[in-house]
Amino acid sequence: TQIGAQTKTNATNAAKANQLAAGARDAAEQGTSDMVRMVEAMDEINTSSEAISKIIKVIDEIAFQTNLLALNAAVEAARAGKHGKGFAVVAEEVRNLASRSAKAARETAELIEGSVGKVKNGTEMVHQTSTSLGEIVESAAQTSDLVAEIAAASTEQAEGVSQASNGLAQIEEVIQQNTATVEETAAAAEELSGQAEHLKSILTRFKLRETGIEKQETEHRSNTVMPKAPVEQVPAVETMRV
């Protein structure tokens, strides 16, 4: 009975563990799906960062060419003398703006390059994490299958123990019936023994009738040993058949 109760408890716990394992498997699969989407997003960010880096390089080149044009404009303004003073001022401002643009483009390019490197590292880590999650999902699936088999085996064991318990109960019932039958048989045997003793005591009261030959031999022995005495006639007793 204790084994049956423990087996039922194990079967219940195995069923709960199977549910938890199935839930963990679903969660791991959901995490894998989310990780796949994250990998795709990181790849898109990496692509965008590379495109931005190219654009920044184009802006830097434009700033460099603008600076060259501003220098040429300043040279031409200097050659023009008085008439080129205003143009020289404009050329100087354009040159300053080109220098500032070039400086900002370089700084932005450096930041973009750093971001691209970090995005690449992050993408590699995300890929590794995705691979690890895939292995976790596979392990969770195997664990779920094993727990399901354990749950099924525990249920079968519980059923087997229940059947064994029922069989033992039937055996106990048969043993009780046999015990009662043996007690009844012993009582009947004891009663029969008493009846046999009583019949034996009754049979000792009876005497068998003498035959003719036995009667002559008895008379002959009596005549040779002592004077013949008058023989008292004993009423004949019928032989009793048992």
Side-chain angles (χ1 to χ4, degrees), residues 53 56-57 60 103-115:
S53 179
I56 293 298
K57 289 181 179 179
D60 189 17
K103 182 179 179 181
R106 285 193 299 271
E107 292 176 354
T108 306
E110 292 176 357
L111 292 175
I112 292 297
E113 289 178 358
S115 299

Side-chain angles (χ1 to χ4, degrees), residues 5 17 28 59-60 63 70 84 86 115-116 142 151-152 158 162-164 172 175 179 187 192-193 198 205 223 237:
I59 294 173
D60 189 17
S115 299
V116 169
Q142 294 177 357
S162 178
Q163 293 176 0
E172 184 179 2
I175 290 174
T179 303
L192 183 62
S193 177
H198 180 65
R205 301 176 186 176
N223 291 329
V237 179

Side-chain angles (χ1 to χ4, degrees), residues 13 63 161 171 203 230:
N13 293 333
V161 171
I171 292 173
L203 290 175

Side-chain angles (χ1 to χ4, degrees), residues 53-98:
S53 179
K54 292 179 180 179
I55 293 171
I56 293 298
K57 289 181 179 179
V58 172
I59 294 173
D60 189 17
E61 292 177 356
I62 292 172
F64 180 74
Q65 294 295 330
T66 304
N67 191 17
L68 289 178
L69 291 174
L71 287 174
N72 292 330
V75 171
E76 293 297 329
R79 289 178 181 177
K82 293 181 182 181
H83 302 287
K85 288 183 179 180
F87 187 72
V89 173
V90 174
E92 185 65 23
E93 291 296 329
V94 172
R95 181 183 177 186
N96 292 333
L97 290 175

Side-chain angles (χ1 to χ4, degrees), residues 7-8 11 148-164:
T7 305
K8 288 181 180 179
E149 293 178 0
I150 292 171
S154 298
T155 302
E156 292 179 358
Q157 289 176 359
E159 293 177 356
V161 171
S162 178
Q163 293 176 0

Side-chain angles (χ1 to χ4, degrees), residues 102-179:
K103 182 179 179 181
R106 285 193 299 271
E107 292 176 354
T108 306
E110 292 176 357
L111 292 175
I112 292 297
E113 289 178 358
S115 299
V116 169
K118 292 179 181 179
V119 168
K120 287 182 179 179
N121 293 331
T123 303
E124 292 177 357
M125 293 178 63
V126 167
H127 281 292
Q128 293 177 358
T129 305
S130 179
T131 303
S132 299
L133 278 176
E135 294 176 355
I136 292 172
V137 169
E138 185 177 358
S139 299
Q142 294 177 357
T143 303
S144 179
D145 294 337
L146 291 175
V147 172
E149 293 178 0
I150 292 171
S154 298
T155 302
E156 292 179 358
Q157 289 176 359
E159 293 177 356
V161 171
S162 178
Q163 293 176 0
S165 179
N166 293 332
L168 288 174
Q170 293 176 0
I171 292 173
E172 184 179 2
E173 183 178 357
V174 172
I175 290 174
Q176 291 178 355
Q177 292 177 357
N178 291 339
T179 303

